Amino acid sequence: VHTVGPYLNAWAAEKSWLLSAGRAVYDLVTNEFVMCISVDIDMDGLNKILNETKVDGLGTITLVRNDDSGTVISSPNFDLDTADRLTTIDDPMLETGVDLKMFDEIKSKVDYNQTWDPKSARDAYMDTLTDSDGNNIISAYPIPPVPEEYDPTYVPEFFAIFSLPKAERLDPIIDKVTLKVNESV
C-alpha cells in the first residue's frame, strides 16, 4: 500500500484535506498487472477520532508520516480546517515534546534496510522517551504495525506518537497519595 497526502482537495466546494492510499493488483496465476485500487480518506473523520482519543484520559496522539521532516497527518493542536499547508512534528505549537533529533531516534529504532527480526522490531517500540525538557513522556508506534513474520518490503508509513505530559500523568497519583496521607493524620 502506498499513501499520498494529506493534500488539499481541489474538487471540494469547501476546504478539505484528503489522504490517498493505493495498491496494485496482480493476477494470481500470470502475475500480470490487472488494476490499481485507490481510496481517498477525508481527514475530518480521522482527525475527529484521533483528537478525541486520550491515553488513560491523558496525553495526545499525533499521527506522523515516516519521512525526513516528520510531516504531521493529524494532531489535536493542528487545525487542518484553517491550515493552508502541513506542519512537521517539531512545530512547537503542537506541544508534542518531539524535535527532529528525537524523531530521527524514533525512525532509527529498527533499520528496515537490513534483515530484521519481527519480535525485536516490535520490542524496540515498547521503550519510552523523554523530551529534552523532561516535561513529556513519549512513545511511538509504527503504522501499519510490525508484521508477525519477516517481510523484506515492510517499512512503516506512519508513526502514532503518544505525548504524555509528566505533570498530567503524576498529578492524579500525587493527589491520591496526598489524600491518603491527610486521612491518616
Short mmCIF file of all heavy atoms in Angstrom, two decimals, residues 130-131 134-137 164-172:
data_model
loop_
_atom_site.label_atom_id
_atom_site.label_comp_id
_atom_site.label_asym_id
_atom_site.label_seq_id
_atom_site.Cartn_x
_atom_site.Cartn_y
_atom_site.Cartn_z
N THR A 130 11.93 10.56 26.76
CA THR A 130 11.58 11.79 27.45
C THR A 130 12.09 12.94 26.61
O THR A 130 13.21 12.90 26.09
CB THR A 130 12.25 11.84 28.85
OG1 THR A 130 11.84 10.68 29.57
CG2 THR A 130 11.82 13.07 29.61
N ASP A 131 11.27 13.98 26.45
CA ASP A 131 11.71 15.11 25.63
C ASP A 131 12.89 15.83 26.29
O ASP A 131 13.22 15.58 27.45
CB ASP A 131 10.55 16.07 25.34
CG ASP A 131 10.02 16.78 26.58
OD1 ASP A 131 10.53 16.54 27.67
OD2 ASP A 131 9.08 17.57 26.42
N GLY A 134 12.37 17.31 29.59
CA GLY A 134 11.94 16.40 30.64
C GLY A 134 10.49 16.56 31.03
O GLY A 134 10.07 16.07 32.07
N ASN A 135 9.70 17.24 30.20
CA ASN A 135 8.30 17.51 30.54
C ASN A 135 7.32 16.48 30.01
O ASN A 135 6.19 16.42 30.48
CB ASN A 135 7.89 18.89 30.01
CG ASN A 135 8.66 20.00 30.68
OD1 ASN A 135 8.99 19.92 31.86
ND2 ASN A 135 8.97 21.03 29.93
N ASN A 136 7.71 15.71 28.98
CA ASN A 136 6.80 14.77 28.34
C ASN A 136 7.41 13.38 28.28
O ASN A 136 8.60 13.23 28.06
CB ASN A 136 6.49 15.22 26.90
CG ASN A 136 5.67 16.47 26.86
OD1 ASN A 136 4.50 16.47 27.20
ND2 ASN A 136 6.29 17.56 26.43
N ILE A 137 6.54 12.39 28.46
CA ILE A 137 6.91 11.01 28.22
C ILE A 137 6.38 10.69 26.83
O ILE A 137 5.21 10.93 26.53
CB ILE A 137 6.29 10.07 29.27
CG1 ILE A 137 6.80 10.45 30.66
CG2 ILE A 137 6.59 8.62 28.94
CD1 ILE A 137 6.05 9.78 31.79
N LEU A 164 2.69 12.35 26.59
CA LEU A 164 2.05 12.36 27.89
C LEU A 164 2.79 13.34 28.80
O LEU A 164 3.90 13.04 29.23
CB LEU A 164 2.10 10.95 28.46
CG LEU A 164 1.23 10.57 29.60
CD1 LEU A 164 -0.23 10.77 29.26
CD2 LEU A 164 1.47 9.12 29.98
N PRO A 165 2.21 14.51 29.06
CA PRO A 165 2.89 15.44 29.97
C PRO A 165 3.07 14.80 31.33
O PRO A 165 2.13 14.23 31.89
CB PRO A 165 1.93 16.63 30.04
CG PRO A 165 1.13 16.54 28.79
CD PRO A 165 0.99 15.07 28.50
N LYS A 166 4.30 14.87 31.86
CA LYS A 166 4.59 14.24 33.15
C LYS A 166 3.67 14.77 34.24
O LYS A 166 3.20 14.02 35.08
CB LYS A 166 6.05 14.45 33.54
CG LYS A 166 6.99 13.52 32.85
CD LYS A 166 8.39 13.69 33.40
CE LYS A 166 9.34 12.70 32.77
NZ LYS A 166 10.69 12.86 33.28
N ALA A 167 3.40 16.04 34.25
CA ALA A 167 2.56 16.63 35.29
C ALA A 167 1.18 16.00 35.27
O ALA A 167 0.63 15.64 36.30
CB ALA A 167 2.47 18.14 35.13
N GLU A 168 0.61 15.84 34.07
CA GLU A 168 -0.73 15.24 33.96
C GLU A 168 -0.71 13.79 34.43
O GLU A 168 -1.65 13.31 35.04
CB GLU A 168 -1.23 15.29 32.51
CG GLU A 168 -1.69 16.64 32.07
CD GLU A 168 -2.31 16.59 30.68
OE1 GLU A 168 -2.77 15.52 30.24
OE2 GLU A 168 -2.32 17.64 30.02
N ARG A 169 0.36 13.09 34.14
CA ARG A 169 0.46 11.67 34.48
C ARG A 169 0.64 11.49 35.99
O ARG A 169 0.08 10.58 36.58
CB ARG A 169 1.63 11.04 33.72
CG ARG A 169 1.78 9.57 33.95
CD ARG A 169 0.64 8.84 33.27
NE ARG A 169 0.83 7.42 33.43
CZ ARG A 169 -0.15 6.59 33.63
NH1 ARG A 169 -1.39 7.01 33.69
NH2 ARG A 169 0.07 5.32 33.76
N LEU A 170 1.44 12.33 36.60
CA LEU A 170 1.76 12.16 38.01
C LEU A 170 0.79 12.85 38.95
O LEU A 170 0.63 12.44 40.09
CB LEU A 170 3.19 12.65 38.27
CG LEU A 170 4.29 11.86 37.54
CD1 LEU A 170 5.64 12.48 37.80
CD2 LEU A 170 4.28 10.39 37.94
N ASP A 171 0.13 13.93 38.51
CA ASP A 171 -0.77 14.67 39.39
C ASP A 171 -1.86 13.81 40.02
O ASP A 171 -2.09 13.90 41.22
CB ASP A 171 -1.38 15.87 38.66
CG ASP A 171 -0.40 17.02 38.52
OD1 ASP A 171 0.67 16.97 39.17
OD2 ASP A 171 -0.70 17.97 37.76
N PRO A 172 -2.57 12.94 39.26
CA PRO A 172 -3.60 12.10 39.90
C PRO A 172 -3.02 11.18 40.97
O PRO A 172 -3.64 10.95 42.00
CB PRO A 172 -4.19 11.30 38.74
CG PRO A 172 -3.87 12.08 37.52
CD PRO A 172 -2.57 12.77 37.80
#
